[in-house]
Amino acid sequence: MAVDMNPENPMAMPNSDDETTLAKVVRPETRKFIEDYVGVAPDKVEQHVQATQRRAWKVAPFPYVGQMTWLNPYILLHPSHDRVLSRLKAGASIIDCGCMIAPDLRQLAYEGAPTDRMYGFDIESRFFDISYDFYSDRDRFRGKLLEADVFKSQSPLNNLEGQMDIVWCSKFMHLFNRETQIDVAVRLIKLLKPTPGSMFVGSQNGCEIDYEISLPNDGFHAQTRGFWLGNKEGIEKLWKEVSELTGTRWEVEARLFDLRTVGMHKEDGSEYKKRTGYNLQWTCTRVDGRHVLMSKVKRAFGMEGRK
């Protein structure tokens, strides 16, 4: 189902100087995290957030910066949070896709996960200095933040292929239409170890009714290729296609989480806001040991279907 999105989307940065606005955005868990991990005094949290938002806006004046969706770690809302944290504490590696300032990696570090096997990538490397300054952890966060474009064949991501235990995609996959999301998933699977138990964990905007949003082909929208907002059944079907394309098998767990239940979505009367107050959360756990490369070799030699 294709829907035209109102071109008058929130490209202008909200007035974050309004303490009431900030109070609605900053969750209590996030405030405590900023106070404890970053070391910001309680009465300076708003000032710290405002300064960071202004810096980020100069780098990327896009809706997610203005709406501060980067501020609250979405990993805390995910049903696989405990599993991810436990695996990291046991020595697993993780990569955060489209990490921006990497709030989820910092949240996991705050909860006791070692950071030396953490990676993040974003197409905009200027976010990384903002990241270190916001979290005040340049001397203690040992994770590697990489400038990388998931669509480019020559990329720092190539050096990480087959090395990750967990791929984490928060607020990233929904930037693309359904066809492109499949392409992105196929690319990112290559980063995972080709063994059972490797996890591809996602958190993105969702909808009760599976549909795509068509966008004007200009400015910010030209980079997005449209948005696909899926539901539980939609993401399960998408991963069935990914499985067939890559010759891999996955156990898929998914749910559509209503952000209104935790005060993270506000209606404005528009049809768009009514439809999109959901977070589509999913975990794909690999249940076979075949690598996508082996699948391609078999097809090339007419061996597909053989063990």
Side-chain angles (χ1 to χ4, degrees):
M1 175 178 175
V3 178
D4 287 329
M5 184 167 133
N6 186 346
E8 296 179 1
N9 62 61
M11 292 299 286
M13 186 172 72
N15 180 17
S16 62
D17 291 327
D18 183 348
E19 292 188 5
T20 302
T21 300
L22 269 175
K24 292 178 180 178
V25 173
V26 183
R27 301 188 71 215
E29 298 90 340
T30 303
R31 176 179 287 275
K32 186 176 188 305
F33 163 63
I34 293 173
E35 293 173 5
D36 293 349
Y37 180 82
V38 184
V40 176
D43 62 342
K44 299 294 184 182
V45 170
E46 285 80 6
Q47 181 181 342
H48 188 65
V49 171
Q50 290 164 3
T52 301
Q53 185 194 32
R54 293 190 188 101
R55 285 183 64 188
W57 186 258
K58 292 179 180 179
V59 171
F62 298 147
Y64 69 94
V65 175
Q67 296 171 344
M68 291 188 284
T69 58
W70 48 269
L71 187 58
N72 297 302
Y74 271 73
I75 188 68
L76 285 177
L77 301 175
H78 204 285
S80 289
H81 163 265
D82 292 351
R83 184 179 170 194
V84 169
L85 180 60
S86 177
R87 292 196 63 183
L88 292 177
K89 287 183 176 181
S93 55
I94 187 172
I95 186 163
D96 186 350
C97 308
C99 64
M100 200 220 176
I101 66 168
D104 295 297
L105 296 183
R106 272 28 183 264
Q107 175 63 39
L108 292 165
Y110 173 56
E111 295 179 280
T115 61
D116 57 336
R117 302 201 70 193
M118 290 183 178
Y119 298 82
F121 76 85
D122 200 283
I123 196 171
E124 179 51 78
S125 62
R126 287 177 291 176
F127 282 139
F128 302 158
D129 277 337
I130 296 174
S131 171
Y132 290 121
D133 290 343
F134 181 70
Y135 294 112
S136 299
D137 63 357
R138 195 182 297 267
D139 60 341
R140 55 195 168 100
F141 181 75
R142 297 182 180 180
K144 296 180 177 61
L145 303 181
L146 308 171
E147 180 180 6
D149 185 336
V150 72
F151 297 108
K152 290 186 176 180
S153 57
Q154 299 299 317
S155 166
L157 297 178
N158 296 348
N159 298 324
L160 298 177
E161 290 186 4
Q163 298 184 38
M164 296 295 107
D165 293 293
I166 303 167
V167 163
W168 167 248
C169 280
S170 176
K171 312 291 281 186
F172 178 66
M173 298 284 280
H174 69 235
L175 295 176
F176 314 107
N177 62 22
R178 188 179 186 279
E179 180 181 0
T180 306
Q181 287 193 34
I182 292 174
D183 293 339
V184 171
V186 169
R187 172 68 183 95
L188 293 177
I189 281 175
K190 295 180 181 179
L191 301 178
L192 286 169
K193 294 177 180 177
T195 55
S198 291
M199 296 171 64
F200 198 126
V201 188
S203 170
Q204 62 193 68
N205 289 355
C207 186
E208 289 183 302
I209 300 174
D210 193 60
Y211 78 104
E212 286 200 15
I213 300 174
S214 59
L215 298 170
N217 188 26
D218 60 2
F220 169 73
H221 300 136
Q223 304 175 45
T224 67
R225 308 183 187 186
F227 297 151
W228 178 72
L229 301 181
N231 54 21
K232 179 180 183 294
E233 294 74 20
I235 199 70
E236 290 172 346
K237 291 177 182 177
L238 185 147
W239 271 87
K240 183 178 180 181
E241 294 180 44
V242 171
S243 178
E244 292 171 351
L245 284 170
T246 59
T248 55
R249 294 191 297 119
W250 304 83
E251 178 185 9
V252 181
E253 305 165 88
R255 73 172 184 176
L256 196 63
F257 182 69
D258 191 341
L259 292 171
R260 299 169 185 83
T261 62
V262 291
M264 289 181 65
H265 185 80
K266 182 181 179 181
E267 303 284 356
D268 62 5
S270 69
E271 185 65 19
Y272 176 71
K273 279 288 188 178
K274 181 180 179 181
R275 290 176 179 270
T276 58
Y278 300 92
N279 185 224
L280 178 59
Q281 302 169 336
W282 41 273
T283 301
C284 298
T285 305
R286 189 159 180 171
V287 292
D288 77 304
R290 293 176 295 167
H291 194 275
V292 63
L293 178 60
M294 180 59 69
S295 177
K296 290 181 178 180
V297 169
K298 286 185 176 182
R299 285 197 295 270
F301 287 90
M303 300 169 61
E304 193 168 17
R306 303 182 190 177
K307 294 184 178 181

